[in-house]
Amino acid sequence: DGGITQSPKYLFRKEGQNVTLSCEQNLNHDAMYWYRQDPGQGLRLIYYSQIVNDFQKGDIAEGYSVSREKKESFPLTVTSAQKNPTAFYLCASSPWDNTEAFFGQGTRLTVV
Amino acid sequence: DQQVKQNSPSLSVQEGRISILNCDYTNSMFDYFLWYKKYPAEGPTFLISISSIKDKNEDGRFTVFLNKSAKHLSLHIVPSQPGDSAVYFCAANPMDSNYQLIWGAGTKLIIKP
């Protein structure tokens, strides 16, 4: 079954802690993305990667970090520097030209 | 500055009737457009797309119309069904060097029985 998998679905973090969200795809897509969705808002791009070992900042990269050591994997770390981390995080992958992006089921992160 | 705008935050439609969701964009260089559907607490799923060389694309109950001169596209769903109740996002792909999707804020569609 080809697809994109995010884990965990729900995540709680104490203030001041870093936390890593997992994203794995077996679609053989070159590009992967992390978005954040807040209530009543659209998708905002955090980071993206078009090729292994390379990634670029999106519109709201501050307080986040990523790595792309393997084509299949694009983990996102939410650091303690992120001022308002409570949100719904979505990972996506696409062919190189982004004519169709496939999304994971999302991770809801709550800071307690 | 929003380059892709969905001006209606929500839309309510009777079951069986036509739902029309609208999207406007500002950049005439946008070359490819996509519509996604999203249920709460789930990732968006791809619905339908259209290239700027076309003005209409149809897939079952879903049709997307593109008016390049007005920089406007619309998604028509007919007939509307209860399962269509979701948030619909419009996205534009400039098909330039980084191929990043520019997203609208979404329209929540509610289908009334």
Side-chain angles (χ1 to χ4, degrees):
Chain A
D1 242 309
I4 180 163
T5 303
Q6 286 186 243
S7 60
K9 191 165 174 65
Y10 299 96
L11 190 56
F12 296 89
R13 188 196 91 175
K14 292 183 180 178
E15 281 200 38
Q17 284 182 338
N18 292 355
V19 65
T20 297
L21 283 60
S22 169
C23 180
E24 304 276 332
Q25 55 100 359
N26 60 6
L27 299 165
N28 200 32
H29 284 162
D30 291 308
M32 296 187 75
Y33 311 84
W34 275 104
Y35 292 92
R36 169 180 171 142
Q37 188 188 19
D38 293 285
Q41 295 194 33
L43 306 180
R44 292 188 291 168
L45 183 64
I46 304 172
Y47 268 98
Y48 65 100
S49 167
Q50 291 178 296
I51 195 168
V52 175
N53 292 322
D54 187 53
F55 48 83
Q56 307 295 329
K57 291 182 179 180
D59 301 318
I60 55 165
E62 187 175 347
Y64 299 98
S65 66
V66 292
S67 63
R68 187 88 187 275
E69 296 175 4
K70 299 185 300 181
K71 188 175 185 178
E72 303 80 18
S73 179
F74 192 41
L76 172 75
T77 297
V78 184
T79 75
S80 55
Q82 168 49 233
K83 297 284 185 278
N84 186 18
T86 294
F88 190 56
Y89 291 87
L90 286 160
C91 179
S93 70
S94 76
W96 64 273
D97 61 0
N98 211 355
T99 47
E100 183 177 343
F102 292 79
F103 284 83
Q105 288 298 292
T107 294
R108 179 160 300 282
L109 173 64
T110 304
V111 173
V112 296
Chain B
D1 62 331
Q2 274 187 290
Q3 296 189 66
V4 176
K5 298 178 186 178
Q6 294 178 256
N7 291 318
S8 300
S10 66
L11 175 67
S12 190
V13 174
Q14 202 75 34
E15 182 180 355
R17 307 292 283 268
I18 183 170
S19 295
I20 301 176
L21 296 104
N22 294 304
C23 180
D24 296 294
Y25 60 96
T26 57
N27 189 339
S28 57
M29 300 303 290
F30 286 157
D31 221 21
Y32 194 83
F33 302 89
L34 306 91
W35 282 95
Y36 280 80
K37 174 181 178 178
K38 186 182 180 301
Y39 293 120
E42 293 186 12
T45 53
F46 172 76
L47 265 180
I48 193 168
S49 61
I50 188 166
S51 165
S52 63
I53 62 172
K54 301 174 86 171
D55 54 18
K56 177 182 173 181
N57 190 24
E58 198 170 348
D59 184 1
R61 296 186 299 115
F62 302 93
T63 303
V64 56
F65 295 92
L66 176 61
N67 182 333
K68 289 183 286 294
S69 60
K71 298 194 191 70
H72 176 84
L73 63 155
S74 61
L75 173 69
H76 293 212
I77 306 173
V78 57
S80 301
Q81 299 175 353
D84 296 331
S85 295
V87 177
Y88 289 78
F89 290 98
C90 167
N93 186 337
M95 302 297 276
D96 61 10
S97 59
N98 69 9
Y99 298 97
Q100 291 314 303
L101 295 180
I102 315 295
W103 294 85
T107 296
K108 183 175 183 179
L109 177 64
I110 300 163
I111 305 301
K112 300 180 292 186

